[in-house]
Amino acid sequence: MSKLAILGGQPAVTIQNPERWKPPIEEEKEIVCQLIEKRALSGAGSGLPKEFEEEFRQYVGSRYCLTVSHGHLALASAFYAVKGGPGDEFIVPALGYIGTYAGALHMGARPVFCDIDPETLLIDPSDAEKRITKRTRAIFAIHLWGNVCDMDALMDISRRYGIPIIEDASHAHGAEWDGKKIGNVSDLTCFSLQGALPGGKPVCGGEGGIVTTNNREYYERMLAYCHLHRHGLKDELTLPEYSELDAEVLGLKYRAHPLALALAKVALKSLDYRNERKDAFRRKLFEALEEIPGVKPIRSYPKAKPAGFYGGLVLVYQPQELDGLPIEKYVEALRAEGVPIRRSFGFGGTLEHLRTIFRKGFDLWGYGRGPLGGEFMGLPPFKPYKPGDFPVAESVAGRILTIPAYIEPEEGFLEQVIHAFEKVAAHYKELL
Ligand SMILES: *Cc1c(COP(=O)(O)O)cnc(C)c1O
C-alpha cells in the first residue's frame, strides 16, 4: 500500500464534493411564490398548513399531527400534553441536545440525566428505569442521527410505571421500529423541520416542528396550549375540560409559518428516496469498516430501521486497536487522505449533564426560584452533576467521529473512502 498522504504520499480519496443529489430548489421557489401571491402567509388548521399535517400524519400512520414553529416547541407542547409542570422530573440521556428538554425545563421541571448504550449511543433503558421516582413525569428518548432507540424496552417501562415516552425524532423522519413508522410507536413523537436540504433535518423548511400522537387527550391539550387562532380550533376541542375554554384558549401561539411548511411539503416528497439511498451507502460503508481496525460503526437494534442525514454517519474510535494512537492524529491522517471525517461531541459540544447550569445549578427565574436551585415545588435541593456521573457517555463522547450521510455519492467515492481507512490502519505505526 502506498505512503500515507499525511507523510507526503498520494491521497486515497480524489473525488471532491461527492454529493450528486440536488435539492429541488425550483419546486421550492414555486410553492413559496404561490403562497406569496395568494397572500397565504399566516394561519393554521386550513390551507397548506393543514394539507401538510394531513400528509405527514398519513405518512407515519398516526391519528393526530400538529405543526409548530420549532422542534423544541413541539417537545415543549408534548411535555405539556402529559401534564408536565413545576416540581416534576423527566429523564433524558446525557448524550443528546438541549432542545429536547429546554421546554420542559422552562416549565419548571428538573432534568434527571441517564446513561447511554455503548453500542448504539442511544438512551440505555435499564439505566433510565433506575432513575424513576414518584416525580418522574416523562422519559425523553432521542433517536440521535436517525438511529432508533430500543422502543420495546422503553414502552415496557412506560407500561409498568405508567410514565409516557416522548420521542425526539428530530433526526429520524421515516425511521421505523418493528415495521412501524416512528411517529406511531409511543405516546408522543416530535420532529424538527429545521434547516435546508440536503443537510438539514430530514424534512425541513428553515424552522418548524411536528408532533404526532394517537391519544385524543394529548392532542386536545396541545391544541389548547399553543394553537391560538387556529382555524376550527373550538370544534376540535371536544373533551369537557377543554371545550369550555373561550376562543383564545390558553393564549400561546407556537404555530408554524406557512412558508416553512410549504418547503417541508416539498422535502417530504423525496424523503423515502433519500433515506433509501443513504441507507445503501451507510450499510456498505459500515460493513467494510467492521473489518478494519481503528473504528467501530454504531450498531442499530435488530427491529430498528434507521433514517435521516442530520449529523452524519457515526463511528466510534477504538484507540486500543491502534496501540493507543491519539484520536487527533488518526483524524488528521484520514483527512489528509481526503476523507470528510470529523470529531463530534453530541450536538452542543458537551454532554448534557456537564453544561454549566447543571454543574453549578442556576437561578432560572430569579429570586432563588426554579428547578435548578434549592427546594422547589416538592423537589429536594438540586444536586449538581459532575464528571464521572455517566461513565458510558463520558468514555464514548470524545471518540465520536462522523462522515456526511451521502444520498447520491459519485461512483467510486465509497471505495476510495474504504481504501483510505485501510491505508491508515495498515500504516498507523508510522504515526505513533
Ligand atoms: C434540531 C433538534 C431539535 C429541535 O430543534 P429546533 O431547532 O427547535 O427545530 C431537537 N432535538 C434534536 C436532537 C435536534 O437535533
Side-chain angles (χ1 to χ4, degrees), residues 70-73 75 97 99-100 142 144 168 170-171 192-194 201 207-208 310 347:
H70 295 88
H72 78 276
L73 293 177
L75 286 144
Y97 175 58
T100 303
I142 316 173
L144 285 176
D168 181 349
S170 290
H171 306 165
S192 171
L193 297 172
Q194 190 267 330
K201 306 294 163 90
E207 302 288 348
Y310 191 81
F347 292 86

Side-chain angles (χ1 to χ4, degrees), residues 52-127:
F52 176 76
E53 285 172 352
E54 186 53 23
E55 275 173 31
F56 196 80
R57 188 192 69 72
Q58 285 183 11
Y59 179 78
V60 302
S62 64
R63 286 179 68 195
Y64 308 106
C65 173
L66 283 168
T67 51
V68 292
S69 61
H70 295 88
H72 78 276
L73 293 177
L75 286 144
S77 71
F79 193 64
Y80 183 81
V82 302
K83 301 188 176 168
D88 285 339
E89 293 172 346
F90 56 86
I91 296 171
V92 65
L95 179 71
Y97 175 58
I98 196 166
T100 303
Y101 59 85
L105 173 67
H106 286 269
M107 284 181 204
R110 177 178 291 173
V112 171
F113 295 105
C114 70
D115 217 334
I116 58 167
D117 174 318
E119 308 232 282
T120 60
L121 310 193
L122 304 172
I123 186 170
D124 173 350
S126 61
D127 191 67

Side-chain angles (χ1 to χ4, degrees), residues 6 39 83 143 210 244 253 296 342 393 404 411 418:
I6 198 168
R39 315 312 286 155
K83 301 188 176 168
H143 305 305
I210 307 174
E244 67 179 30
K253 188 163 75 170
K296 206 166 151 193
R342 61 187 192 88
E411 183 118 18
I418 293 167

Side-chain angles (χ1 to χ4, degrees), residues 110 373-376 379-383:
R110 177 178 291 173
E375 274 181 36
F376 172 72
L379 285 169
F382 178 70
K383 197 168 150 267

Side-chain angles (χ1 to χ4, degrees), residues 92-96 98 101 111 113-114 345 348-361 382-391 393-395 397-398:
V92 65
L95 179 71
I98 196 166
Y101 59 85
F113 295 105
C114 70
F345 291 81
T350 177
L351 288 169
E352 296 311 302
H353 67 292
L354 298 178
R355 292 183 183 283
T356 310
I357 54 175
F358 304 125
R359 267 152 95 116
K360 292 182 156 181
F382 178 70
K383 197 168 150 267
Y385 287 91
K386 57 186 186 315
D389 284 343
F390 299 101
E394 290 175 36
S395 84

Side-chain angles (χ1 to χ4, degrees), residues 95-346:
L95 179 71
Y97 175 58
I98 196 166
T100 303
Y101 59 85
L105 173 67
H106 286 269
M107 284 181 204
R110 177 178 291 173
V112 171
F113 295 105
C114 70
D115 217 334
I116 58 167
D117 174 318
E119 308 232 282
T120 60
L121 310 193
L122 304 172
I123 186 170
D124 173 350
S126 61
D127 191 67
E129 182 174 357
K130 286 183 205 141
R131 298 172 196 276
I132 290 173
T133 72
K134 62 181 190 305
R135 293 180 292 269
T136 307
R137 184 65 62 208
I139 298 172
F140 286 97
I142 316 173
H143 305 305
L144 285 176
W145 310 285
N147 197 21
V148 184
C149 300
D150 184 347
M151 294 310 298
D152 283 356
L154 290 167
M155 293 313 291
D156 177 56
I157 292 170
S158 175
R159 275 186 290 270
R160 282 189 284 117
Y161 292 86
I163 296 172
I165 306 295
I166 301 176
E167 289 170 81
D168 181 349
S170 290
H171 306 165
H173 312 55
E176 293 178 14
W177 179 261
D178 204 11
K180 255 179 151 181
K181 280 265 173 348
I182 291 299
N184 186 24
V185 175
S186 70
D187 300 280
L188 288 145
T189 308
C190 303
F191 301 84
S192 171
L193 297 172
Q194 190 267 330
L197 294 178
K201 306 294 163 90
V203 174
C204 51
E207 302 288 348
I210 307 174
V211 52
T212 62
T213 183
N214 291 324
N215 181 308
R216 182 78 205 180
E217 183 175 16
Y218 292 162
Y219 175 65
E220 293 201 20
R221 267 184 84 72
M222 291 190 287
L223 275 172
Y225 178 54
C226 62
H227 289 275
L228 178 72
H229 295 164
R230 180 185 167 95
H231 180 81
L233 177 63
K234 283 295 286 174
D235 300 331
E236 288 208 77
L237 296 176
T238 58
L239 300 174
E241 53 277 47
Y242 311 117
S243 63
E244 67 179 30
L245 296 173
D246 49 66
E248 264 76 26
V249 286
L250 299 175
L252 290 177
K253 188 163 75 170
Y254 287 175
R255 72 188 182 200
H257 199 297
L259 296 186
L261 297 184
L263 295 171
K265 192 171 150 79
V266 174
L268 182 58
K269 286 192 205 170
S270 61
L271 177 65
D272 283 344
Y273 174 77
R274 287 181 287 123
N275 269 332
E276 271 166 38
R277 289 294 306 236
K278 183 225 76 177
D279 210 50
F281 178 76
R282 179 189 72 89
R283 280 167 190 277
K284 285 186 210 145
L285 180 69
F286 280 12
E287 221 168 88
L289 293 182
E290 285 289 355
E291 309 300 322
I292 304 173
V295 282
K296 206 166 151 193
I298 51 167
R299 203 171 68 83
S300 293
Y301 295 107
K303 288 185 183 176
K305 183 176 167 203
F309 318 87
Y310 191 81
L313 302 174
V314 183
L315 313 170
V316 181
Y317 184 50
Q318 309 291 326
Q320 77 286 359
E321 294 177 1
L322 304 180
D323 295 335
L325 177 72
I327 188 168
E328 293 80 6
K329 284 198 175 167
Y330 181 72
V331 171
E332 223 182 302
L334 280 167
R335 293 192 64 90
E337 296 297 336
V339 178
I341 192 166
R342 61 187 192 88
R343 294 181 73 183
S344 152
F345 291 81

